[in-house]
Amino acid sequence: MDNPDSDPGEDVGEPGSAVGLPEIAHAEVFMIMEVVILWIILFFLVIQVAAIYPVLLLPVAPLAWWANKQKMLVHRSLPCATFAFGFIPGMVLIWFSETILFAIWRFIFSVGGVNTDPTTLEEEKDAGYVMFWLFVSFFVFALATEVGKYLVLKYAKVVFAGALEKNGMMLMTVAGALGFSISNNVVILLVRVIVEGWDIPLTLGWGVYLTVVLDTLHCLTAYYIAIQVVRQEILSHNINIFDILAVPIIARGLLVFVSTPIPAFLNTAAMWTVIVIVDIVIVGGMLACIKFAQTKLPREHIERGGYFGILGGYSEPPTPVAELDLQSDENAVVRGDVEENI
């Protein structure tokens, strides 16, 4: 039965959905094309990685569930667009930065007499090599990745007016981080298979580990950085660049350092025990930091941004400079109760 209150030409959409939300044309198609094209390339390069590629894509399922939960706030094309950006362009940019930084640190330590390319287990235990990996863990891999996420948010704010205040902003941020993380895992496995000759079972095992740990950590650090950038840029809280990046860089640096030089000192069982314990501590620590940071946000921003309520409450009373009206987006015509979909 037609709604007598609606205009004759109005697109009323499906029940419980939002119409008139901003969207990016063909974003879903571009995302799918990137994913499929990379899979085809892997079949020609390394069959081991191509075989376990679907496993690496499993985290897309919970992302799709989250996007469906936020369909009253943000059109699905927006998280698809940020996922696509992180998947290929973002990954290429960050890997390029890491390669340059790694070469710089490698040159510095080599000049200092450190063997940065050990061929034996004893050489991997050398104090100079361990110190080399301590530096590259934090000042190459962690620094490049987390600064990259920060710069993307800053760039989005400059290019797109009100980007940090848009509906579903947090979903788009995490989608971009997940896109990067998945393709990053592909490259990691690709390098290991080519250099060390991993078979499919070993590649699968490491693929599952990277999917569970690295995808989770990348999404959590992106989530945390986004909260801190919002606090700095939108809410005018007194925080600096150290407050924004210190926790993510420490978390990511620890993960890389523990999984690279440390195994040379341990047997397989002890190595995995240490790695799992450290991973749990890192993820738990990130969740605690997110929960604390999110309590600094006003209710209106949490509801509008599509944050995970379970990760923290909100400031009361709302910060005056951030009083956001859920109905203020003139481009969105929302049907249904927004709060029930958060």
Side-chain angles (χ1 to χ4, degrees):
M1 181 176 179
D2 294 336
N3 185 351
D5 297 327
S6 62
D7 294 332
E10 180 184 8
D11 181 10
V12 296
E14 298 179 358
S17 65
V19 297
L21 290 175
E23 59 181 285
I24 299 178
H26 311 304
E28 299 99 320
V29 175
F30 283 119
M31 184 188 78
I32 294 173
M33 285 180 58
E34 283 187 351
V35 171
V36 172
I37 289 173
L38 180 57
W39 198 3
I40 294 173
I41 292 173
L42 289 174
F43 269 110
F44 287 98
L45 289 179
V46 180
I47 191 63
Q48 294 95 317
V49 181
I52 64 104
Y53 185 62
V55 175
L56 303 179
L57 294 172
L58 289 178
V60 174
L63 178 68
W65 170 83
W66 189 16
N68 184 65
K69 293 282 288 183
Q70 304 298 330
K71 64 184 178 181
M72 301 296 295
L73 292 176
V74 58
H75 191 273
R76 65 179 179 273
S77 65
L78 271 69
C80 286
T82 56
F83 181 96
F85 174 78
F87 192 74
I88 297 297
M91 182 272 293
V92 171
L93 288 172
I94 290 178
W95 268 80
F96 177 77
S97 301
E98 289 178 345
T99 301
I100 298 298
L101 290 173
F102 187 87
I104 292 172
W105 281 110
R106 188 172 188 173
F107 173 77
I108 292 173
F109 274 84
S110 297
V111 169
V114 175
N115 179 11
T116 59
D117 189 22
T119 56
T120 67
L121 191 62
E122 289 304 315
E123 291 177 346
E124 290 182 8
K125 295 180 181 180
D126 179 73
Y129 180 71
V130 173
M131 186 61 64
F132 166 68
W133 264 102
L134 179 65
F135 271 78
V136 298
S137 295
F138 287 91
F139 300 115
V140 174
F141 299 110
L143 185 68
T145 303
E146 305 312 324
V147 169
K149 296 172 186 174
Y150 169 74
L151 291 178
V152 166
L153 288 170
K154 298 285 284 188
Y155 175 78
K157 178 180 179 294
V158 172
V159 176
F160 305 105
L164 299 180
E165 300 173 79
K166 286 189 178 298
N167 293 351
M169 182 276 292
M170 191 56 71
L171 169 63
M172 292 183 279
T173 300
V174 172
L178 181 61
F180 161 75
S181 184
I182 291 175
S183 58
N184 181 61
N185 292 344
V186 170
V187 175
I188 291 173
L189 293 175
L190 193 64
V191 171
R192 292 295 188 178
V193 169
I194 293 174
V195 174
E196 301 181 19
W198 286 1
D199 56 15
I200 290 180
L202 183 57
T203 306
L204 175 61
W206 274 100
V208 171
Y209 169 77
L210 293 175
T211 297
V212 172
V213 177
L214 274 190
D215 287 355
T216 300
L217 185 60
H218 278 304
C219 290
L220 288 178
T221 56
Y223 193 105
Y224 178 84
I225 290 171
I227 291 176
Q228 298 295 70
V229 170
V230 164
R231 291 181 60 199
Q232 181 189 60
E233 298 287 340
I234 305 301
L235 308 181
S236 299
H237 291 177
N238 185 26
I239 59 176
N240 53 38
I241 188 69
F242 180 83
D243 298 319
I244 297 172
L245 291 175
V247 169
I249 288 176
I250 291 173
R252 175 84 169 111
L254 280 174
L255 185 91
V256 175
F257 181 67
V258 169
S259 61
T260 305
I262 299 302
F265 297 88
L266 306 171
N267 59 41
T268 302
M271 175 192 75
W272 279 109
T273 300
V274 170
I275 289 177
V276 169
I277 291 174
V278 171
D279 290 347
I280 292 173
V281 171
I282 291 172
V283 171
M286 281 305 309
L287 289 171
C289 291
I290 289 172
K291 185 175 179 63
F292 174 79
Q294 195 161 301
T295 60
K296 306 300 181 181
L297 301 180
R299 179 198 296 266
E300 291 88 345
H301 189 85
I302 289 180
E303 292 174 345
R304 184 182 182 120
Y307 291 68
F308 276 122
I310 194 173
L311 293 179
Y314 38 78
S315 60
E316 288 288 3
T319 307
V321 297
E323 291 181 349
L324 305 175
D325 183 356
L326 286 172
Q327 304 299 325
S328 64
D329 190 344
E330 296 178 355
N331 295 320
V333 181
V334 180
R335 298 187 177 277
D337 187 348
V338 175
E339 293 189 358
E340 292 180 358
N341 290 273
I342 295 178

